[in-house]
Amino acid sequence: MSAGPDNARVVTLTVNGERVSRRVAARAHLVDFLRDTLDLTGTHVGCEHGVCGACTVRVDGMAVRGCLMLAVQADGAVVETVEGLTDRGAIADLQEAFLARNALQCGFCTPGMLITIAELLEREAAPSRAAIREAISGNYCRCTGYQAIVDAVERTLAARAGRAT
Amino acid sequence: MSEPALSFLDRPNSYIGRSVPRPNARRLVQGRGAYVDDLRLPRMAHVAFLRSPRAHARIVRIDTAAAKAAPGVVAVVTGEDLAGICKPWVAVLSHFKGLRSPPQHPLAIGWLRWAGEPFCAVVAASRAEAEDAVALIDAELEPLPVAVDMEAALAPGATVIHPELGDNLAFERTLDVGDVDAAFRTAAAVVEQTFHVGRHTGVTLEPRALVAEWNPGEEKLTIHHSFQAPHMMQDIVCKHLGLPEASVRVVCGDVGGSFGIKVHIYPDEMATVALAKLLARPVKFVADRLESFVSDIHARDHRVKGRMAVDAAGAILGIEIDDLTGIGPYSVYPRTSAVEANQVVNLVGGPYRHANYRARARVVFQNKTPMCQYRAVGHPIAVMVTEGLVDLAAAAIGMDPAELRRRNVIADDAHPSTAASGIRFEKLSHQRSLEKLLAMMDYDALRREQAALRARGIHRGIGLAAFIEITNPSAAFYGVGGARISSQDGCTLRLNPQGGVVAAIGVTEQGQGTEAVIAQVVATAVGVPLSDVRVVTGDTDATPYGGGTWACRAAGIGGEAAWQSGKALRRNILEAAAVMLQTNAASLDVRDGSIVDADSGAERMKLSEFGRVAYFRPDTLPAGLAPELVVTRHYVPKDYPFAFTNGVQASYVEVDTDTGFVTLIKHWCVEDCGTVINPQLVDEQIRGGIVQGIGAALFEECRYDGQGQMLNGNMADYLVPMAAEMPDIDVAHVVTPTASSEIGAKGAGEAGTAGAPAAVINAINDALRPLGARVDSQPAGPQAILRALGKV
Ligand code: FES
Ligand code: FES
């Protein structure tokens, strides 16, 4: 990392499998860097104060709020967004379940929701409905009322369990 | 020629009534949506606004020199600078007699009337630089006394927000039907209660956003807008910027939630459009969440005094209400802020037979964020008042609340009918809906469970709420009052050479599934696979003129336009195909993308072959045969001003009397939106609407201090429903199609929100009743419940 004018720094990180090096303002949030500098507009901004979860991305394998982390803090990190997870097919079954169950309406919460759920699916094999609800309770959805999302997660879990046996 | 198959029920391979997935949703789960903030245009600049820090003040002086010199700044403007570009607006409608509101400018001039009102704008290379420069504007403001509380705003001596109007009363409506006094005199029981419905707001997850671009070379203003009604926006921009319709294009791409928030004219959005015109380059405005809370319209904020009279057998004899609502300092353009109170008057008592009804509604100016229509306008208030009174009446005469409803709902065979308020019902199904709900929830078993748990000190409650809902509005809603908001909609279909169909339609998509529903109707009407239909919405240059999506009109009105258009296209295809195949059109049909023999179903010609000949080898067709493969049909409901739907909800809750916390155990809804085009989409509209209603009942409130400052204007302090607290919701339907259209669909998007708050509040009160406590204010949070229990 090197300092420049306007408190800009150069950061180097891996985003969706690609190594990128860019100059960013010290105050830029990770989500703004992803959206505005890298044009990865799949990650959304709903509140910019860490509450709604629309900006959720993966940093070094963990679901993180892109509006609570500065881009310069991601120097050297491995970042993955919904575009990356989609391209490598990591959540294809979950995405299909979302479509089949209509677990999205406007879709604005969906990328963040998918990232949070992807982490849950890796962590737990058979969470209860209550546990699924708990796991996504940091991701606001204003449209669906959540039930269809919980159903879609359950269907994905069931399908994965079926495949595993 | 005769129609091969008239009804969608007879159509082979019908998609109507099937839960097919939404074809346009796949890109959204892949992060490939195109919301306004995702748009990047050459030379695009960003605007940020200086908003009033006070609820009421006079602008003494504005010094923009430092802001103008800040890095990245393109322009700094005040209200006067934009006044010559964008004319002010006045939000009144002629059918709301006496409604008053003063002219409103894109950026306030002279006076500031709510905390959050924009009065200066900075355009800069980035939003961050624009915000930096906003902080450098030096504005001297003289604080003025405020009128915040709506009762106080009407009291003698109150600060008059618009001195030229004389007082703060914006609108008043009264109604007196039958002999109300006699009804109350002869009643076996009279119940009385004052209800409060708090101010809340939409909190669309995507904030309001638009990019406006003026291209002087082609005299064209293009507005990419997160909005529900593109043609309305086009018309208003034309009117206030003095442009012809051909010069204004409004495009609504993906919209991240709307719920009625994104159907109004906002000063900051009009300022952005004016700035784009002024600067001749694209300007983007995306509200940040903090400014959303003080600039998105707020909703509700009603205090209703209600009374109900019943006889000893539980028959409702009369109802009287007095509604007071605060709308901020302006009526909101162009729908006005009198609609909600007017709806409350129309809808109270709606599900029930009662002949004696007196109502008064007063709409008051105050120094708070403007209030206007949000999902289910007026309904949740009317339902809370009505259903609250019904439960009180049942308790007063010692009758089970389900039984009292059973005895009073308008009978299913009594239609068409007219309510005491004058609204007309074509056909409703209250009785069947109520019985279906009680069976679905196993009401009697639940009552037994409640009693058993009560004995162990566990306080559970069951709440019921019957409702009616306005859908498919005709011109009676806005058009008759002079608002240029289309109540008709058109659908244009084009058969492409490969046999696919493109449908362009005036209704819009904000996630409800509009495009899926239109595709289902078109595929069915024409006779092609669903995957061969592509739907275009939200572009004033590309679709027929229409009203957009609000007040539950997309499926009912847009769906019928699509149906009529699809039938016409099929007719045109068959007439041409009959000539080509040397048979008569009546013996043919289009099924699954092929022209077939209507009787045997045997394929005669693929649509792709038909398209090839029609478009590329018309020379081989007989002289005089020129198939018309683009058709447009329009639809507007004419026989009823609105297609009312009905339904009933139930909530089962547990109240912790030590903490005041309410656990939502289960929620049920039976509703009747007529023909169901896509059951899954309808059910999810109901569920989403119920959860928004639960938000209003338990969590959501724009809290203000006495100086008109919103105290919780951020996502952390303004509570919206989260996944963990929400119950599973069972939804079922009774189907009573409207005879106003062939499809028979009515709206379903607002039914959930209409009934849920009353069901939840009634359930809480059912739990509290043996403890001698009740709550009559929304939201009913833990504090309110503990207060009711006398514990705080
Ligand atoms: S935008 Fe980051 S949590 Fe809302
Ligand atoms: S689908 Fe709209 S916010 Fe979740």
Side-chain angles (χ1 to χ4, degrees):
Chain A
M1 228 197 282
S2 64
D6 305 332
N7 281 326
R9 304 274 193 286
V10 172
V11 294
T12 302
L13 61 164
T14 304
V15 179
N16 296 334
E18 268 175 56
R19 234 177 132 59
V20 297
S21 237
R22 292 285 193 286
R23 183 168 207 88
V24 296
R27 66 178 174 175
H29 291 129
L30 177 60
V31 66
D32 293 335
F33 171 73
L34 293 169
R35 289 181 51 82
D36 297 339
T37 307
L38 301 184
D39 281 340
L40 288 166
T41 53
T43 304
H44 296 150
V45 176
C47 70
E48 294 178 278
H49 45 268
V51 184
C52 75
C55 62
T56 308
V57 293
R58 289 191 145 197
V59 178
D60 294 332
M62 283 186 29
V64 159
R65 310 217 147 186
C67 72
L68 289 185
M69 183 170 178
L70 296 172
V72 293
Q73 292 176 294
D75 192 41
V78 174
V79 174
E80 229 180 353
T81 69
V82 69
E83 289 96 335
L85 288 179
T86 303
D87 287 350
R88 69 178 172 92
I91 51 169
D93 55 348
L94 179 63
Q95 288 166 316
E96 286 309 313
F98 260 58
L99 291 172
R101 184 57 190 86
N102 200 47
L104 69 156
Q105 289 183 26
C106 79
F108 201 77
C109 69
T110 310
M113 196 69 88
L114 290 170
I115 301 245
T116 298
I117 295 167
E119 197 183 47
L120 170 75
L121 292 177
E122 283 167 20
R123 209 175 51 226
E124 284 182 58
S128 63
R129 280 182 85 77
I132 296 168
R133 285 184 176 276
E134 197 59 47
I136 60 169
S137 68
N139 288 75
Y140 286 7
C141 175
R142 243 345 221 176
C143 301
T144 63
Y146 303 107
Q147 185 168 337
I149 298 174
V150 178
D151 291 347
V153 175
E154 277 195 327
R155 286 189 195 183
T156 308
L157 283 162
R160 286 192 183 185
R163 267 205 310 276
T165 52
Chain B
M1 85 180 244
S2 71
E3 278 292 313
L6 260 176
S7 155
F8 61 85
L9 295 169
D10 309 328
R11 289 290 297 152
N13 307 325
S14 175
Y15 290 98
I16 293 175
R18 284 172 53 189
S19 291
V20 297
R22 289 158 54 203
N24 60 350
R26 186 172 300 273
R27 67 169 191 277
L28 302 180
V29 300
Q30 298 179 343
R32 291 177 185 276
Y35 303 90
V36 167
D37 195 26
D38 300 340
L39 214 71
R40 284 100 177 85
L41 296 175
R43 298 178 69 225
M44 186 168 79
H46 301 259
V47 62
F49 294 95
L50 176 61
R51 296 178 182 277
S52 177
R54 294 188 175 275
H56 201 189
R58 189 175 69 82
I59 301 173
V60 178
R61 180 184 59 82
I62 301 173
D63 182 352
T64 60
K68 280 185 170 140
V73 169
V74 176
V76 182
V77 300
T78 64
E80 280 90 356
D81 298 328
L82 292 188
I85 302 173
C86 180
K87 290 198 287 277
W89 53 86
V90 176
V92 296
L93 288 171
S94 60
H95 63 311
F96 293 129
K97 296 246 174 319
L99 171 62
R100 324 179 287 170
S101 190
Q104 186 179 12
H105 291 269
L107 296 176
I109 297 173
W111 281 267
L112 300 171
R113 297 183 171 105
W114 88 85
E117 183 173 18
F119 66 108
C120 289
V122 175
V123 180
S126 69
R127 168 80 187 207
E129 287 168 317
E131 286 183 21
D132 291 345
V134 163
L136 298 175
I137 297 174
D138 180 14
E140 188 185 328
L141 306 177
E142 176 197 336
L144 297 173
V146 295
V148 173
D149 176 78
M150 56 196 183
E151 307 216 19
L154 283 186
T159 298
V160 178
I161 296 174
H162 305 289
E164 68 276 20
L165 298 183
D167 60 32
N168 292 322
L169 185 66
F171 177 68
E172 177 163 8
R173 179 183 170 198
T174 57
L175 192 69
D176 199 342
V177 180
D179 191 342
V180 176
D181 294 329
F184 278 84
R185 251 193 331 269
T186 58
V190 170
V191 291
E192 199 166 336
Q193 196 63 48
T194 299
F195 301 87
H196 293 268
V197 179
R199 224 173 214 262
H200 47 269
T201 183
V203 197
T204 57
L205 203 58
E206 177 209 29
R208 289 185 297 109
L210 82 165
V211 176
E213 176 182 21
W214 169 246
N215 183 334
E218 53 176 4
E219 298 250 303
K220 184 109 185 190
L221 183 63
T222 303
I223 301 168
H224 298 271
H225 200 182
S226 181
F227 204 62
Q228 299 168 234
H231 282 103
M232 184 197 100
M233 181 68 177
Q234 178 196 36
D235 187 75
I236 283 170
V237 167
C238 288
K239 179 171 171 191
H240 293 275
L241 272 74
L243 294 168
E245 276 155 353
S247 285
V248 179
R249 176 184 178 202
V250 178
V251 182
C252 301
D254 288 323
V255 174
S258 52
F259 322 122
I261 298 301
K262 296 172 179 172
V263 76
H264 308 293
I265 295 301
Y266 288 91
D268 46 22
E269 297 185 5
M270 289 301 275
T272 305
V273 174
L275 283 163
K277 181 94 191 312
L278 181 75
L279 301 171
R281 61 189 285 184
V283 180
K284 180 188 273 188
F285 169 59
V286 180
D288 75 21
R289 186 57 63 186
L290 301 183
E291 63 186 335
S292 296
F293 273 111
V294 294
S295 65
D296 288 6
I297 58 115
H298 291 176
R300 322 304 187 216
D301 203 3
H302 288 249
R303 182 234 63 196
V304 187
K305 293 181 181 163
R307 300 207 298 152
M308 181 179 278
V310 291
D311 71 13
I316 298 172
L317 303 177
I319 302 176
E320 180 170 9
I321 63 152
D322 181 10
D323 179 23
L324 185 65
T325 181
I327 60 163
Y330 294 98
S331 169
V332 175
Y333 195 54
R335 288 158 198 261
T336 83
S337 304
V339 173
E340 181 150 273
N342 193 59
Q343 301 271 63
V344 172
V345 171
N346 285 341
L347 296 170
V348 162
Y352 303 109
R353 281 186 316 267
H354 67 110
N356 306 299
Y357 180 42
R358 184 185 291 145
R360 174 170 76 154
R362 285 172 300 162
V363 174
V364 182
F365 292 122
Q366 56 185 170
N367 295 113
K368 289 185 182 178
T369 296
M371 188 283 274
C372 200
Q373 280 78 274
Y374 164 63
R375 195 174 200 172
V377 191
H379 294 69
I381 300 144
V383 179
M384 184 197 187
V385 171
T386 307
E387 297 301 292
L389 291 172
V390 164
D391 270 15
L392 282 167
I397 61 167
M399 186 179 282
D400 180 274
E403 180 58 26
L404 193 126
R405 286 176 173 82
R406 203 177 264 135
R407 291 185 184 197
N408 283 284
V409 288
I410 301 172
D412 295 356
D413 61 8
H415 298 289
S417 66
T418 302
S421 70
I423 53 179
R424 293 193 294 135
F425 307 124
E426 177 198 4
K427 194 156 175 44
L428 300 177
S429 60
H430 289 298
Q431 290 173 315
R432 274 185 300 156
S433 297
L434 180 60
E435 292 316 319
K436 192 163 189 168
L437 178 92
L438 296 174
M440 179 163 82
M441 64 193 285
D442 203 346
Y443 183 77
D444 296 332
L446 220 52
R447 283 284 178 213
R448 285 192 297 274
E449 178 178 284
Q450 178 191 26
L453 290 171
R454 185 86 75 188
R456 293 170 30 206
I458 294 170
H459 302 286
R460 290 197 173 176
I462 301 165
L464 299 173
F467 61 91
I468 54 172
E469 192 213 334
I470 289 176
T471 79
N472 294 2
S474 72
F477 217 138
Y478 295 112
V480 296
R484 291 160 61 89
I485 299 169
S486 173
S487 53
Q488 65 83 48
D489 252 278
C491 176
T492 297
L493 297 182
R494 182 180 77 224
L495 180 74
N496 278 343
Q498 288 185 350
V501 177
V502 177
I505 191 156
V507 291
T508 52
E509 170 82 272
Q510 299 92 36
Q512 306 90 330
T514 305
E515 293 183 359
V517 162
I518 298 303
Q520 286 176 263
V521 171
V522 168
T524 304
V526 179
V528 295
L530 189 63
S531 54
D532 284 356
V533 181
R534 187 155 281 264
V535 180
V536 177
T537 63
D539 183 344
T540 57
D541 269 7
T543 74
Y545 209 89
T549 298
W550 46 273
C552 291
R553 64 189 298 285
I557 294 176
E560 183 68 10
W563 174 250
Q564 295 299 342
S565 198
K567 285 204 312 177
L569 177 60
R570 175 159 45 92
R571 206 155 43 223
N572 290 1
I573 292 169
L574 292 180
E575 276 169 9
V579 177
M580 290 155 76
L581 296 167
Q582 302 191 343
T583 179
N584 62 357
S587 70
L588 299 174
D589 194 7
V590 185
R591 290 177 199 166
D592 208 24
S594 287
I595 294 158
V596 300
D597 186 88
D599 287 336
S600 68
E603 181 177 289
R604 301 291 304 272
M605 191 196 304
K606 291 210 180 305
L607 269 184
S608 54
E609 174 61 10
F610 175 83
R612 184 189 68 81
V613 174
Y615 284 104
F616 306 125
R617 295 305 308 274
D619 56 308
T620 63
L621 297 177
L625 179 64
E628 196 53 75
L629 302 180
V630 176
V631 299
T632 301
R633 289 293 182 274
H634 292 84
Y635 175 70
V636 62
K638 286 229 176 87
D639 44 358
Y640 281 85
F642 312 101
F644 274 95
T645 68
N646 67 278
V648 55
Q649 296 187 26
S651 166
Y652 190 39
V653 306
E654 184 171 315
V655 179
D656 183 326
T657 53
D658 292 325
T659 64
F661 273 102
V662 173
T663 304
L664 301 161
I665 298 168
K666 187 91 194 168
H667 200 103
W668 300 265
C669 177
V670 174
E671 75 89 53
D672 184 347
C673 62
T675 303
V676 175
I677 298 173
N678 187 319
Q680 178 161 267
L681 294 183
V682 168
D683 288 359
E684 294 318 314
Q685 278 299 301
I686 303 278
R687 290 198 174 95
I690 286 172
V691 166
Q692 266 178 347
I694 289 173
L698 295 180
F699 312 114
E700 297 187 39
E701 185 176 27
C702 301
R703 294 175 49 235
Y704 276 85
D705 70 10
Q707 289 305 305
Q709 294 291 339
M710 187 171 167
L711 298 172
N712 60 337
N714 63 74
M715 206 85 136
D717 294 328
Y718 180 98
L719 305 179
V720 301
M722 295 189 292
E725 292 96 44
M726 289 305 107
D728 277 339
I729 299 163
D730 284 356
V731 181
H733 302 275
V734 170
V735 176
T736 310
T738 171
S740 296
S741 67
E742 279 180 37
I743 293 266
K746 304 181 246 187
E750 301 177 299
T753 311
V760 171
I761 297 288
N762 280 355
I764 292 172
N765 284 330
D766 189 48
L768 295 180
R769 188 166 298 114
L771 306 168
R774 62 177 284 120
V775 289
D776 287 289
S777 297
Q778 293 179 36
Q783 270 240 316
I785 288 167
L786 290 178
R787 211 176 304 122
L789 287 165
K791 296 199 173 178
V792 289

